[in-house]
Amino acid sequence: MPFNGEKQCVGEDQPSDSDSSRFSESMASLSDYECSRQSFTSDSSSKSSSPASTSPPRVVTFDEVMAAARNLSNMTLAHEIAVNENFQLKQDALPENSLASRVKHIVHQAFWDVLESELNAEPPEYEHAIKLFEEIREILLSFLTPGGNRLRNQICEVLDTDLIRQQAEHNAVDIQGLADYVISTMGKLCAPVRDDDIRELKATSNIVEVLRQIFHVLDLMKMDMVNFTIRSLRPHLQRQLVDYERTKFQEILEETPSALDQTTEWIKESVNEELLSLSETALTPGAENSSKSSLSPTVVLNNSYLKLLQWDYQKKELPETLMTDGARLQELTEKLTQLKIIACLSLITNNMVGALTEGLPELANRLKRISAVLLEGMNKETFNLKEVLNSIGVQTCVEVNKALVERGLSNLNAEVQANLIGQFSTIEEEDNPIWSLIDKRIQLYMKSLLCLPSPQKCMPPVPGGLAVIQQELEALGSQYANIVNLNKQVYGPFYANILRKLLFSEEATGKADASSSN
């Protein structure tokens, strides 16, 4: 995938100084506009990235829609490769016992049965086998680098199909010898992870089975080569990602003018909420406009990002600018919900039996592990949170009683145990005070993360009551901050245009009218 005509670079994970400067420049519109009102009231923004337009709607053709879809697909793939260190391609496996799987097995088995009957015939028929070696030759050649001329010439010489056909006509072709050469060459070209597969090939005596397994291992080698290319491409993509994604999204916006509608609504919702928070000044005449102009665009945008931590990903569409991170954000939100529940359970346990279990850090860790295991799969529709919370309460009582007995103390009485289990079960209820408290503190922590220039180097202090999940919360918060910061770098200019329209549209309109009258 070309980027500005540059060659692929391998082994450099850190961006250069010039790249870093471009990253900072791309975000300038989200910091400078707080210092300069002129940047918001001017008309220097790109018309195509404006959230609202006075021009009549343009008819979008099918070709333009398909072009936008291709741009989105390319941008999503590049983004995934760059930000996901574990990204790799895998072979599609058909569902076991499915019709497609059975048909594929029958067809393949029929082919190899025919090949075996041809090789065992008198005289043998080699045409299908020769075609297989021709295909193998092309696959082996595709693995070679441009400088591998010696091995290339050798493969072409040994697997020369014209020569093999001449040998077959005189019944002098050595199929086993050709297979041995192919296996030996595969051993030179394959990744170390395929060494066991090569050894198994060498130990197979049936020639038809050897050819069958050769193609299987070649398929694995092709996937290894693709994933190696992806790993080699990743440092280059990471350096070019901001410019590349921004350019691709601009192309999408030109093909689909409505590609920022959801994003505009997402930011507008935060603007309205911030205006409500300034309600004490909204009663005076003209206060609404002054409140709107006094809003901080950075605060508005950060509050928009915080909404993603409570997003209903099943029913609500994500902003267009966050589509490439949708799966990551959803997974992060689900993990955060689990951590909130664990923090609530820990707080309830400490309030009720903390005096009895004081000085037992292992008990707290064990209860945390039990809760985490039982809360796995919360995102599934069949998951019954109330039942799971009840089970966690019962198991917590068992573990606490065990710890008390080991210290020579008596078990919790039945009333305390019932109260503990009951409080656990009410966590899922709306407006639960403990849940609201923990949620507010986590929101405060995440908000403080977004205000830091580099969260990885200086993590903010964890609020009280969250010590039990501190390690997991810091790791999750770091991932969240990375997603947000990269998103700001890529889409900062688009957000600036939207915020300019939402916060200063009336002011800009007034200036334009005054200028025309003068």
Side-chain angles (χ1 to χ4, degrees):
M1 192 179 298
F3 290 85
N4 303 327
E6 292 186 12
K7 293 183 179 179
Q8 180 175 314
C9 181
V10 181
E12 297 180 21
D13 294 325
Q14 300 299 327
S16 63
D17 293 339
S18 61
D19 294 321
S20 300
S21 65
R22 286 201 303 272
F23 287 1
S24 60
E25 288 170 4
S26 69
M27 200 49 196
S29 55
L30 288 178
S31 58
D32 293 348
Y33 54 49
E34 288 197 273
C35 303
S36 174
R37 294 286 299 281
Q38 183 64 30
S39 63
F40 277 92
T41 55
S42 65
D43 193 26
S44 59
S45 61
S46 172
K47 292 181 180 180
S48 59
S49 59
S50 173
S53 177
T54 57
S55 60
R58 182 170 65 89
V59 177
V60 180
T61 66
F62 176 77
D63 290 340
E64 289 174 330
V65 172
M66 294 307 296
R70 285 192 295 272
N71 284 330
L72 179 60
S73 177
N74 292 338
M75 185 179 70
T76 302
L77 179 60
H79 183 89
E80 193 67 25
I81 292 173
V83 303
N84 185 0
E85 295 289 339
N86 298 319
F87 176 82
Q88 62 178 358
L89 297 181
K90 296 181 180 179
Q91 286 183 316
D92 290 334
L94 294 174
E96 192 175 356
N97 297 325
S98 65
L99 177 61
S101 177
R102 292 198 299 270
V103 170
K104 179 180 178 181
H105 174 75
I106 292 171
V107 172
H108 283 201
Q109 188 61 47
F111 172 83
W112 295 111
D113 288 344
V114 170
L115 178 63
E116 185 173 19
S117 64
E118 289 179 349
L119 294 179
N120 292 333
E122 288 294 341
E125 174 58 49
Y126 294 109
E127 187 56 32
H128 278 97
I130 293 173
K131 289 182 179 179
L132 290 180
F133 279 113
E134 185 176 10
E135 186 175 347
I136 290 171
R137 181 191 65 189
E138 296 307 315
I139 296 175
L140 292 177
L141 292 175
S142 70
F143 292 148
L144 300 180
T145 59
N149 293 328
R150 181 178 178 182
L151 186 55
R152 183 184 306 274
N153 293 334
Q154 186 186 80
I155 292 173
C156 292
E157 181 180 343
V158 175
L159 299 180
D160 185 346
T161 52
D162 292 335
L163 178 60
I164 295 174
R165 281 193 175 90
Q166 293 178 13
Q167 294 173 341
E169 291 174 0
H170 297 84
N171 202 21
V173 64
D174 183 5
I175 297 294
Q176 185 63 53
L178 293 173
D180 291 340
Y181 171 77
V182 169
I183 295 171
S184 175
T185 306
M186 290 168 62
K188 297 175 184 177
L189 298 174
C190 71
V193 71
R194 301 298 165 210
D195 288 346
D196 290 341
D197 296 318
I198 298 299
R199 279 192 289 270
E200 289 181 9
L201 281 175
K202 292 179 179 178
T204 305
S205 57
N206 185 292
I207 185 60
V208 174
E209 185 61 26
V210 167
L211 291 173
R212 185 173 188 168
Q213 292 305 316
I214 282 176
F215 276 94
H216 172 67
V217 177
L218 285 174
D219 285 340
L220 297 177
M221 289 174 62
K222 284 191 285 187
M223 200 57 64
D224 293 338
M225 181 63 70
V226 170
N227 288 321
F228 172 77
T229 304
I230 289 173
R231 289 193 298 271
S232 302
L233 186 63
R234 181 172 291 118
H236 180 75
L237 281 173
Q238 288 171 337
R239 290 193 302 274
Q240 302 292 335
L241 185 63
V242 171
D243 290 338
Y244 176 75
E245 280 200 48
R246 189 183 299 162
T247 301
K248 281 296 179 185
F249 191 80
Q250 183 66 44
E251 293 176 8
I252 293 172
L253 202 55
E254 290 170 357
E255 301 292 345
T256 313
S258 62
L260 277 174
D261 287 356
Q262 294 292 336
T263 303
T264 302
E265 289 300 317
W266 170 60
I267 295 177
K268 186 177 180 180
E269 187 177 343
S270 291
V271 170
N272 293 335
E273 289 179 359
E274 286 297 304
L275 288 174
L276 285 177
S277 68
L278 301 174
S279 58
E280 64 276 5
T281 60
L283 298 177
T284 59
E288 183 178 352
N289 289 338
S290 62
S291 298
K292 181 179 289 189
S293 62
S294 66
L295 287 181
S296 165
T298 299
V299 170
V300 170
L301 191 57
N302 283 348
N303 287 342
S304 297
Y305 282 118
L306 288 172
K307 290 181 179 297
L308 301 173
L309 298 175
Q310 297 176 325
W311 202 267
D312 188 347
Y313 290 89
Q314 305 299 326
K315 300 179 181 178
K316 198 173 179 181
E317 288 187 27
L318 268 174
E320 297 89 348
T321 55
L322 286 151
M323 289 295 185
T324 51
D325 285 308
R328 262 179 294 278
L329 287 169
Q330 182 174 355
E331 182 181 0
L332 186 147
T333 302
E334 291 168 358
K335 288 182 179 178
L336 187 62
T337 302
Q338 186 187 71
L339 291 179
K340 287 180 186 178
I341 294 176
I342 292 175
C344 290
L345 298 177
S346 176
L347 187 58
I348 294 172
T349 304
N350 287 336
N351 289 340
M352 295 193 64
V353 299
L356 297 175
T357 60
E358 188 177 1
L360 295 175
E362 274 303 315
L363 175 61
N365 291 333
R366 189 159 61 250
L367 294 177
K368 174 182 171 181
R369 288 194 297 269
I370 291 171
S371 300
V373 169
L374 293 177
L375 289 170
E376 285 293 332
M378 283 185 57
N379 57 314
K380 297 180 180 178
E381 294 183 1
T382 56
F383 188 88
N384 190 319
L385 181 57
K386 192 173 186 66
E387 289 184 3
V388 171
L389 291 174
N390 187 76
S391 300
I392 294 175
V394 172
Q395 192 61 36
T396 298
C397 292
V398 171
E399 294 294 332
V400 170
N401 287 333
K402 187 186 300 182
L404 293 176
V405 170
E406 290 175 356
R407 302 180 71 178
L409 301 174
S410 58
N411 290 340
L412 299 174
N413 61 53
E415 184 180 352
V416 172
Q417 294 188 47
N419 192 11
L420 182 66
I421 296 172
Q423 289 200 38
F424 276 17
S425 300
T426 59
I427 289 177
E428 67 159 352
E429 295 179 1
E430 190 175 356
D431 298 329
N432 181 279
I434 297 177
W435 175 268
S436 299
L437 175 65
I438 295 297
D439 181 66
K440 187 178 297 183
R441 291 180 178 179
I442 288 180
Q443 287 285 320
L444 179 64
Y445 177 78
M446 292 298 183
K447 190 172 184 177
S448 63
L449 269 177
L450 299 184
C451 298
L452 294 177
S454 179
Q456 294 83 354
K457 296 181 180 179
C458 181
M459 300 294 289
V462 174
L466 304 180
V468 67
I469 59 170
Q470 178 173 348
Q471 185 177 357
E472 294 83 358
L473 186 61
E474 287 180 346
L476 188 147
S478 180
Q479 296 174 21
Y480 170 68
N482 288 338
I483 292 174
V484 169
N485 289 335
L486 178 60
N487 188 264
K488 283 182 178 179
Q489 290 175 357
V490 174
Y491 299 102
F494 300 99
Y495 295 147
N497 291 331
I498 293 173
L499 287 164
R500 183 185 297 112
K501 293 291 183 179
L502 294 176
L503 298 181
F504 303 107
S505 57
E506 295 178 8
E507 182 179 340
T509 303
K511 286 188 176 182
D513 293 340
S515 176
S516 61
S517 63
N518 290 335

